[in-house]
Amino acid sequence: MVHYGHSNQLRQARAMGDYLVVGVHNDEEIAKHKGPPVFTQEERYKMVQAIKWVDEIVAGAPYVTALETLDKYNCDFCVHGNDITLTVDGRDTYEEVKKAGRYRECKRTQGVSTTDLVGRMLLMTKAHHSSRELPSEYQEYTDSFGKCPRSHSPWTGVSQFLQTSQKIIQFASGKEPEPGDTIIYVAGAFDLFHIGHVSFLEKVYQLAERPYIIAGLHFDQEVNHYKGKNYPIMNVHERTLSVLACRYVAEVVIGAPYAVTANLLDHFKVDLVCHGKTEVVPDKDGSDPYKEPKRRGIFRQINSGNDLTTDLIVQRIIKNRLEYEARNQKKEARELAVLEAIKKREVMPEGAAMQVEGPCEA
């Protein structure tokens, strides 16, 4: 997947240099080393290119990063999070560049992982929504989903995301609209921020010479009211970071009202209100939430040209449920084997021989 944890890594990486090249693996490499990808390679290429800290992408980058690859793209060094990434046979994918001193590390974002997001879709509870205690049902799930029975990896394990004001500041553009900007308002859940959202926002961005896009995000309870089931999959804090990371968005309204009111339009001096081709559910009183912008003649419906929705992503996950569960178990088993080896190395006397075995097999 592509989520705000990846965006945060790219933000940190970009701050370490002047120009950020991001290598994105193809589907074949992902399937071989990790398991079935949730997004296709074409979807992931476009998703990563839309993250505002990315200057260039390399499509189909090799899974093992070699010095030859860094030299080919004129990169001084490469950056990865402080979690470990292993090949299918348990080898560190950055071994060569680490030995050459051309490796840097950034902090992993706590509380988000593809493992966790896949699990939320499969479990279908609302435990991940904001301002809720984790019920025993969810706790039992996190202790079992994709985990070895005796222990769990600090990198693949499921944990809870905690939003901070500092994180929002780091992701926010900090730019105010300027005279001559066209202020465009869009609203929705923007759940599991995906290529359908990116395509929509890109089309909206192209509507004006100097667009200033404000995205209104509905609170979790509001989204659940019109989407049902356990939606949104990501809570409002997570969705905020996902949208802020997009290069087309200038500002986010956290907890925007469902109905686009005159007060909201006047407050932000909105010139244009856009919505995609997805169904617009009437407000609780039965009224059209876009009644006011339509009355003012500033409403536009946009065809993004992409039919991917959050529902379709969930369907992909459910279809491949057994494969994803096996993926997480195998991935964690390899990570635990490395952890065990590191611990043994720290306590063993110098020169002693060591054999490494995985603590569990999936």
Side-chain angles (χ1 to χ4, degrees):
M1 293 185 70
V2 181
H3 53 66
Y4 66 91
H6 299 127
S7 300
N8 192 38
Q9 180 188 339
L10 298 178
R11 178 190 66 78
Q12 294 177 78
R14 181 65 174 78
M16 294 180 187
D18 305 301
Y19 190 87
L20 181 62
V21 180
V22 182
V24 186
H25 310 311
N26 62 28
D27 291 346
E28 187 181 353
E29 285 276 76
I30 297 285
K32 177 183 175 183
H33 294 283
K34 297 183 80 170
V38 178
F39 295 158
T40 68
Q41 59 194 40
E42 295 303 325
E43 289 169 345
R44 289 182 287 109
Y45 297 156
K46 187 167 181 177
M47 283 284 296
V48 175
Q49 190 66 73
I51 295 171
K52 62 185 177 185
W53 298 287
V54 176
D55 296 299
E56 180 185 340
I57 72 157
V58 173
Y63 195 75
V64 176
T65 304
L67 292 172
E68 181 186 358
T69 305
L70 295 187
D71 293 338
K72 181 179 179 180
Y73 297 101
N74 301 312
C75 295
D76 296 297
F77 58 89
C78 69
V79 182
H80 192 263
N82 58 350
D83 54 330
I84 196 160
T85 175
L86 304 167
T87 62
V88 68
D89 54 4
R91 192 161 58 91
D92 183 354
T93 58
Y94 291 94
E95 186 178 2
E96 184 180 323
V97 291
K98 283 178 179 177
K99 286 179 179 176
R102 294 173 68 180
Y103 176 82
R104 305 284 186 276
E105 213 162 72
C106 61
K107 289 183 180 178
R108 175 185 167 87
T109 307
Q110 291 297 316
V112 63
S113 67
T114 300
T115 305
D116 186 20
L117 295 175
V118 166
R120 295 181 196 181
M121 289 181 252
L122 293 176
L123 190 65
M124 300 299 281
T125 74
K126 302 177 188 177
H128 53 275
H129 292 177
S130 58
S131 304
R132 287 177 180 266
E133 291 295 316
L134 291 182
S136 57
E137 178 187 5
Y138 190 75
Q139 196 59 55
E140 286 171 18
Y141 158 76
T142 61
D143 289 341
S144 63
F145 177 75
K147 291 188 175 182
C148 295
R150 292 192 294 279
S151 149
H152 69 84
S153 163
W155 304 303
T156 297
V158 179
S159 60
Q160 198 173 15
F161 172 71
L162 300 174
Q163 182 69 286
T164 64
S165 57
Q166 184 62 28
K167 189 62 65 193
I168 293 176
I169 290 167
Q170 289 169 344
F171 271 60
S173 68
K175 293 178 182 176
E176 295 280 343
E178 297 178 357
D181 286 353
T182 300
I183 300 174
I184 307 173
Y185 182 75
V186 298
F190 291 97
D191 194 16
L192 289 176
F193 196 75
H194 54 71
I195 195 65
H197 297 132
V198 170
S199 298
F200 166 71
L201 291 168
E202 184 181 28
K203 285 284 177 68
V204 171
Y205 192 83
Q206 292 167 353
L207 291 175
E209 191 174 327
R210 290 174 50 185
Y212 185 93
I213 298 177
I214 301 173
L217 298 190
H218 302 141
F219 277 133
D220 299 341
Q221 289 73 21
E222 190 74 66
V223 176
N224 187 252
H225 172 74
Y226 63 79
K227 287 280 290 181
K229 298 179 183 176
N230 70 329
Y231 291 109
I233 303 299
M234 283 182 160
N235 67 46
V236 69
H237 305 304
E238 298 171 305
R239 293 184 282 118
T240 296
L241 296 186
S242 300
V243 176
L244 281 174
C246 181
R247 65 173 69 249
Y248 305 119
V249 175
E251 181 65 288
V252 166
V253 181
I254 304 170
Y258 185 64
V260 182
T261 62
N263 182 49
L264 184 147
L265 296 174
D266 295 340
H267 178 83
F268 292 109
K269 299 179 173 59
V270 175
D271 299 303
L272 201 59
V273 175
C274 297
H275 184 76
K277 292 287 188 179
T278 55
E279 180 191 6
V280 177
V281 177
D283 204 351
K284 290 168 187 171
D285 62 359
S287 63
D288 181 355
Y290 291 100
K291 179 182 175 182
E292 181 61 22
K294 286 177 179 176
R295 187 189 69 80
R296 297 188 183 195
I298 60 170
F299 178 82
R300 291 277 295 274
Q301 189 174 50
I302 305 297
N303 184 356
S304 70
N306 189 298
D307 61 359
L308 186 65
T309 63
T310 305
D311 289 320
L312 289 175
I313 294 171
V314 173
Q315 285 175 29
R316 289 182 187 180
I317 298 290
I318 292 171
K319 182 182 175 184
N320 295 300
R321 172 170 189 154
L322 294 177
E323 285 186 77
Y324 285 117
E325 289 178 343
R327 163 209 182 272
N328 293 334
Q329 289 174 355
K330 288 177 182 176
K331 179 173 181 284
E332 188 161 29
R334 290 198 300 270
E335 291 170 352
L336 281 166
V338 172
L339 260 183
E340 195 67 27
I342 292 170
K343 288 176 184 175
K344 286 182 180 179
R345 192 179 299 131
E346 288 172 351
V347 299
M348 285 184 69
E350 195 173 337
M354 177 177 65
Q355 180 180 355
V356 180
E357 294 179 357
C360 64
E361 281 297 322

